[in-house]
Amino acid sequence: MGSAADFPKIDFTSNFQNIINNALSSTPETRQAVDPSTEELLYHVPLSKQADVDKAVSVAKAAFPAWKALSYDERAGYLGRYADAIEANVSGLQELLMKEAGKPVSNAAGELQFAIAHVRETAKLRIEDDLIEDTEERRATVRYLPMGVGVGIIPWNYPVLLGLGKLGPAVLTGNTFIWKPSPFSPYTALKLGEIAAQIFPPGVVQVLSGDESLGPLFTAHPDVAKISFTGSSATGKKVMQACASTLKRLTLELGGNDASIIYDDVDVAQVVQKIGPMAFMHSGQICMDIKRLYVHEKIYDEFLAAFVQVVKSFKVGGGGDPEAFLGPVQNRMQFEKVKDLYSEIGKQKWQVATGGEPVACDGKKGFFLPPTIIDNPPDDSRIVVEEPFGPIMPVLKWSDEDEVVRRANNTNMGLGASVWSNDIEKAERLARRLEAGSTWVNSHFELSPYVPFGGHKWSGVGMDWGIVGLKGWCNTQASWVRKKF
């Protein structure tokens, strides 16, 4: 592991430019994102166009043959040095992340720590050839070969972790990688690209910033072999359609409406302390946050009262607040969407356990909303059917196992789901019936670089991370060797 002195320091307050061929690259036009805690404009960033995309893809394509020719161990060495360089600049990255994403200190620090560990642990993974048959006459082997130029289209909610979580597997398997950050959170990505330019050979890792028109330029480009997209299901469908014209490989990690089912044998005081953060982390702006909470009717009232107290204890504050747990909604577009959901409270006469419709406050800046729990709304309510992606959620009663499984599965989404019980065998049996890419017993939103995650149904296609995720960056090749003519 290198020391901080081994890596040049990056300026995190100016000079935000694209990284193309390991060089800073400006554009004639620029744009600015907004600090969601203050609504103030942040730094100017490039507004990339077709010429910038063409140049970056051309450079990545040219770098691919030499990069894929390296061994896994050699490519892993680059990733290890990259993780060290990120860690040497972690304080500057954290300050930037708190500004662009509105994250309180604990959330920003946690994202960076996990992201750095993710790069290091991913570098330890290896895909081995699968020997299918080996007889005196012939040998059959399945190999996994890099695809070429890969593009990661990254969302605004976890811009560092989700970006590095695609970069690491892509380059480890021998692909070259172009990072397209969200227009709402481009800053950490550009600086991570600047750090990468100190580590990787030219063209292996590049970063391009732009507006909503940039993604379609990559999905249409004939020399891009793979798109890995994380975002909403609606946008994921558009990405899938766009990739069809050139038959690109793709991975889609999309929205979720995760259900959590609570049996009546749990220790209520313990469980609410765990579920509270898993439901409201990053103000509900995580695809794998708990979005629907089904509580057995025997403990419903006790559970709801205790859960309300936990949520009331969460301090709301702006990016960089050392005491805050909940920050703002990350951008105005999402803020207005979630406010529209809050407006249903009065219209539909939902019972509010805590929180409620936001009160307009003259002169108050920031996209803040009160953490809100809706008490047992109808199953066809918007708050149950839709993914809020904000700090509001329903708590619902259940009594029959078959019924609660049907209700939990009654959604187009299938990202994650959890079951909570002191009877592990019973909980596992029910969890196996849930239609989701990840299930947990007595936890939720538990992740590892070694374990794939992704969704069923409208929550995605393919999976990220782990060996399964690595294989998603590879073309599968069947190799036959005839030993005797």
Side-chain angles (χ1 to χ4, degrees):
M1 183 181 295
S3 68
D6 295 332
F7 304 102
K9 284 294 182 182
I10 301 293
D11 179 5
F12 290 97
T13 60
S14 65
N15 202 26
F16 292 87
Q17 297 189 48
N18 288 335
I19 303 298
I20 299 178
N21 204 25
N22 277 11
L24 296 173
S25 179
S26 61
T27 57
E29 296 179 75
T30 61
R31 59 180 303 279
Q32 292 169 274
V34 172
D35 183 333
S37 297
T38 64
E39 300 183 52
E40 295 177 356
L41 288 171
L42 293 170
Y43 316 103
H44 286 269
V45 295
L47 188 60
S48 302
K49 302 294 185 181
Q50 186 71 58
D52 305 292
V53 170
D54 289 344
K55 182 178 180 182
V57 172
S58 176
V59 168
K61 185 178 179 181
F64 174 59
W67 181 250
K68 74 173 182 177
L70 298 180
S71 69
Y72 262 92
D73 288 349
E74 288 171 317
R75 294 192 296 262
Y78 281 98
L79 278 175
R81 290 191 291 277
Y82 186 40
D84 292 344
I86 295 170
E87 192 165 56
N89 287 280
V90 72
S91 60
L93 284 165
Q94 181 172 317
E95 289 294 325
L96 198 55
L97 181 59
M98 291 187 294
K99 286 182 180 179
E100 72 174 350
K103 296 198 171 195
V105 172
S106 60
N107 193 303
E111 178 176 353
L112 280 160
Q113 289 166 8
F114 187 36
I116 292 168
H118 195 288
V119 174
R120 289 197 174 116
E121 296 307 306
T122 295
K124 299 175 184 177
L125 297 173
R126 299 291 184 271
I127 301 178
E128 304 294 342
D129 293 348
D130 295 329
L131 182 62
I132 306 301
E133 179 181 331
D134 193 5
T135 66
E136 291 184 0
E137 289 78 23
R138 67 184 187 180
R139 182 173 67 248
T141 307
V142 176
R143 296 173 176 156
Y144 302 91
L145 308 177
M147 294 177 174
V149 180
V151 174
I153 301 179
I154 313 304
W156 42 260
N157 59 333
Y158 266 68
V160 175
L161 175 59
L162 294 177
L164 292 175
K166 296 183 189 296
L167 182 156
V171 301
L172 179 67
T173 48
N175 301 279
T176 53
F177 183 77
I178 302 172
W179 184 332
K180 191 213 83 70
S182 165
F184 295 114
S185 57
Y187 298 101
T188 48
L190 290 170
K191 291 303 178 181
L192 285 164
E194 198 172 330
I195 295 170
Q198 302 173 5
I199 305 298
F200 293 96
V204 173
V205 175
Q206 302 177 93
V207 183
L208 268 67
S209 163
D211 59 15
E212 297 295 342
S213 68
L214 181 57
L217 299 181
F218 283 115
T219 56
H221 202 290
D223 289 334
V224 171
K226 162 86 185 258
I227 296 286
S228 183
F229 169 83
T230 298
S232 71
S233 298
T235 305
K237 293 177 184 179
K238 295 178 182 178
V239 171
M240 196 171 191
Q241 286 179 320
C243 288
S245 64
T246 52
L247 289 178
K248 284 179 175 55
R249 278 47 179 168
L250 79 163
T251 299
L252 302 175
E253 193 272 293
L254 307 177
N257 196 6
D258 286 17
S260 190
I261 299 171
I262 317 297
Y263 273 97
D264 59 353
D265 61 356
V266 300
D267 183 321
V268 170
Q270 281 189 335
V271 171
V272 293
Q273 292 294 336
K274 293 181 178 180
I275 285 182
M278 294 171 185
F280 285 91
M281 185 181 295
H282 196 26
S283 295
Q285 299 170 107
I286 303 176
C287 55
M288 280 187 167
D289 274 345
I290 296 170
K291 307 286 176 35
R292 296 174 293 149
L293 190 53
Y294 294 91
V295 180
H296 196 280
E297 63 180 6
K298 289 183 179 179
I299 61 166
Y300 183 86
D301 292 341
E302 177 191 0
F303 187 99
L304 181 62
F307 188 49
V308 164
Q309 291 308 308
V310 170
V311 174
K312 282 183 174 181
S313 73
F314 294 151
K315 182 179 186 295
V316 178
D321 187 331
E323 298 179 356
F325 178 73
L326 298 176
V329 175
Q330 199 275 335
N331 58 77
R332 180 168 290 282
M333 178 184 73
Q334 185 63 23
F335 181 62
E336 296 299 332
K337 287 181 181 179
V338 183
K339 277 206 306 181
D340 182 63
L341 190 58
Y342 274 75
S343 73
E344 293 286 294
I345 293 173
K347 296 175 188 175
Q348 303 300 327
K349 297 182 171 55
W350 292 340
Q351 296 299 310
V352 176
T354 188
E357 295 186 55
V359 178
C361 203
D362 292 340
K364 185 177 180 180
K365 294 291 186 179
F367 304 136
F368 295 97
L369 291 169
T372 297
I373 299 170
I374 305 300
D375 178 3
N376 204 34
D379 278 1
D380 61 355
S381 302
R382 282 184 61 194
I383 189 62
V384 179
V385 175
E386 298 178 13
E387 177 186 26
F389 225 66
I392 179 171
M393 68 172 300
V395 181
L396 305 119
K397 290 182 185 178
W398 72 274
S399 58
D400 177 78
E401 280 190 1
D402 291 338
E403 174 205 19
V404 77
V405 168
R406 179 190 59 77
R407 292 166 70 193
N409 289 336
N410 187 27
T411 172
N412 288 325
M413 302 300 184
L415 192 60
S418 59
V419 182
W420 300 71
S421 173
N422 285 332
D423 185 334
I424 301 299
E425 183 179 343
K426 177 176 67 175
E428 284 188 293
R429 184 178 67 247
L430 188 135
R432 283 193 290 271
R433 300 173 63 189
L434 299 175
E435 298 167 355
S438 297
T439 62
W440 299 271
V441 169
N442 294 333
S443 70
H444 199 100
F445 191 26
E446 197 165 340
L447 300 172
S448 164
Y450 297 102
V451 180
F453 85 94
H456 296 179
K457 300 189 279 190
W458 287 14
S459 288
V461 175
M463 301 189 92
D464 282 319
W465 303 3
I467 294 296
V468 172
L470 258 63
K471 288 180 178 179
W473 286 97
C474 299
N475 285 317
T476 303
Q477 181 184 75
S479 173
W480 292 89
V481 175
R482 175 63 66 173
K483 299 177 182 179
K484 294 181 179 181
F485 291 99

